[in-house]
Amino acid sequence: MATTAVSEKDDAGQEQRPPARPRRRSGWWWPYALLAPAVLFELVIHVVPMITGVWMSTRQLTKFFISNWTAAPGVGLRNYQVALDFDAAVGEALLRSFAVTCAFTVLVVLVSWTFGMAAAVVLQRSFRGRSGLRTLFLVPYALPVYAGVLTWNFMLQRDTGAINHILVDNLGLIDDRPFWLIGSNAFWSVVVVAIWKMWPFAFLMLMAGLQSVPQDVYEASAVDGAHAYRQWRSITLPMLRPVNIVLVLVMFLWVFNDFNTPFVLFGTGQPAAGDLISFHIYNATFLTWNFGLGAAMSVLLLLFLLLVTGIYLLITNRESRRA
């Protein structure tokens, strides 16, 4: 059937053309092309393994099915029930590791932020040798993690370590050489090493944030009689609030998921006092070859971190709107 074009005429009898479709600008695809590699890597590195982990957590994936994972029988939420049964050995060990990790995270984040803030404030004003101190403070952050933690491992050895040599032989503060990598002292050892590694990052972020605070504000407050603590509380902290919100969240996530520090410091035989949860899940998975149970623990850890992150962002955003 032939189609007939319908034309409209205005009052003057002139033929009106339908409005032309807006033409896309040249290069409209360029932003999508730039984002494509990041989206692809995000899918490959995070999303796909995450979905695979959730699937594994619903399977009885033991060493008998390693050669053929898809043949592992489904167990539903059984692995989650085992992990959360705190009266049984597996759940009790996971709960103890969670408590150790919470205490470890609070101490490391709090002390690292305090050290970073103090150093950033002290080095804010220009003086001779400031650049050298800044470089010196950033050395732990610039060192490879394994090299730095291995050095701490040698220093914390009971018989040949530098720590006991200084405390016992040189200073005479204690009579007997304590064990730093086993027993209850292991917790303080991993805390000290984590703080040594983390505080330069806090210092770097806060120092960068302080560069945006105008000096005129400090000078005006000094004229009004504000002392150093009042300036820090009334000027520095409010001006650094956006930096602190991001910094505390990033440090919390990094420290809570820290695996390299206990792994390099203690090896595979972690002491109970240094049994951080990432390391605990690794051992529970690869020592028992129960990948389904380990995946369930990992999913529970992910849900906990998502919950804490969501609550933290909700509270900080609400306070920002009120400010």
Side-chain angles (χ1 to χ4, degrees):
M1 183 176 64
T3 58
T4 56
V6 179
S7 61
E8 297 181 357
K9 294 184 178 180
D10 57 11
D11 296 339
Q14 300 293 328
E15 185 173 329
Q16 292 182 343
R17 295 181 178 179
R21 297 179 59 184
R23 298 182 60 182
R24 288 178 173 175
R25 294 179 301 176
S26 62
W28 61 269
W29 49 270
W30 188 240
Y32 298 98
L34 292 177
L35 289 175
V39 174
L40 179 62
F41 278 110
E42 180 68 19
L43 289 173
V44 173
I45 295 175
H46 288 116
V47 177
V48 173
M50 195 180 303
I51 295 174
T52 305
V54 173
W55 174 81
M56 288 171 56
S57 67
T58 62
R59 300 284 166 172
Q60 189 179 359
L61 190 54
T62 61
K63 60 183 179 181
F64 302 107
F65 299 97
I66 290 179
S67 59
N68 188 10
W69 288 26
T70 56
V75 292
L77 300 178
R78 176 60 183 165
N79 288 325
Y80 293 94
Q81 294 174 350
V82 172
L84 295 176
D85 185 5
F86 301 132
D87 294 328
V90 175
E92 183 182 1
L94 182 64
L95 182 62
R96 183 174 59 249
S97 174
F98 177 77
V100 170
T101 307
C102 288
F104 167 79
T105 303
V106 170
L107 283 174
V108 172
V109 172
L110 181 61
V111 176
S112 298
W113 182 88
T114 303
F115 284 1
M117 174 63 79
V121 170
V122 170
L123 298 181
Q124 185 182 10
R125 296 181 178 180
S126 178
F127 60 89
R128 189 173 184 179
R130 185 179 68 166
S131 300
L133 287 176
R134 283 180 172 177
T135 305
L136 180 64
F137 289 165
L138 292 176
V139 167
Y141 188 65
L143 280 176
V145 175
Y146 282 83
V149 180
L150 271 178
T151 304
W152 276 102
N153 180 282
F154 289 128
M155 292 171 60
L156 292 169
Q157 294 295 322
R158 179 179 183 270
D159 297 325
T160 59
I163 302 297
N164 279 344
H165 180 68
I166 294 174
L167 294 178
V168 178
D169 299 335
N170 293 348
L171 300 179
L173 297 178
I174 48 180
D175 297 330
D176 193 16
R177 295 173 178 270
F179 289 97
W180 295 107
L181 299 179
I182 59 176
S184 60
N185 289 334
F187 175 76
W188 299 108
S189 297
V190 72
V191 166
V192 169
V193 176
I195 291 173
W196 171 84
K197 188 181 64 174
M198 180 58 64
W199 87 267
F201 174 72
F203 164 66
L204 181 65
M205 294 289 290
L206 294 170
M207 183 177 63
L210 283 174
Q211 304 305 311
S212 62
V213 180
Q215 288 297 320
D216 299 344
V217 181
Y218 291 103
E219 294 172 359
S221 64
V223 172
D224 293 337
H227 48 76
Y229 175 72
R230 181 62 183 274
Q231 290 179 333
W232 177 77
R233 192 185 65 181
S234 302
I235 300 175
T236 304
L237 275 183
M239 298 291 280
L240 288 180
R241 176 181 170 79
V243 177
N244 278 325
I245 289 176
V246 177
L247 175 63
V248 171
L249 179 60
V250 170
M251 287 202 303
F252 165 77
L253 294 176
W254 284 359
V255 173
F256 206 95
N257 282 314
D258 192 2
F259 174 82
N260 292 327
T261 303
F263 180 76
V264 180
L265 195 62
F266 302 128
T268 54
Q270 84 281 13
D275 186 22
L276 303 186
I277 195 162
S278 296
F279 197 37
H280 179 86
I281 293 174
Y282 169 82
N283 282 336
T285 303
F286 289 95
L287 294 184
T288 62
W289 297 91
N290 193 338
F291 296 95
L293 181 60
M297 293 180 180
S298 299
V299 172
L300 291 174
L301 174 61
L302 172 65
L303 294 177
F304 170 75
L305 293 177
L306 287 176
L307 178 64
V308 173
T309 302
I311 294 174
Y312 176 80
L313 293 177
L314 184 65
I315 294 174
T316 53
N317 290 336
R318 183 177 299 174
E319 291 181 351
S320 298
R321 286 194 296 268
R322 290 177 179 174

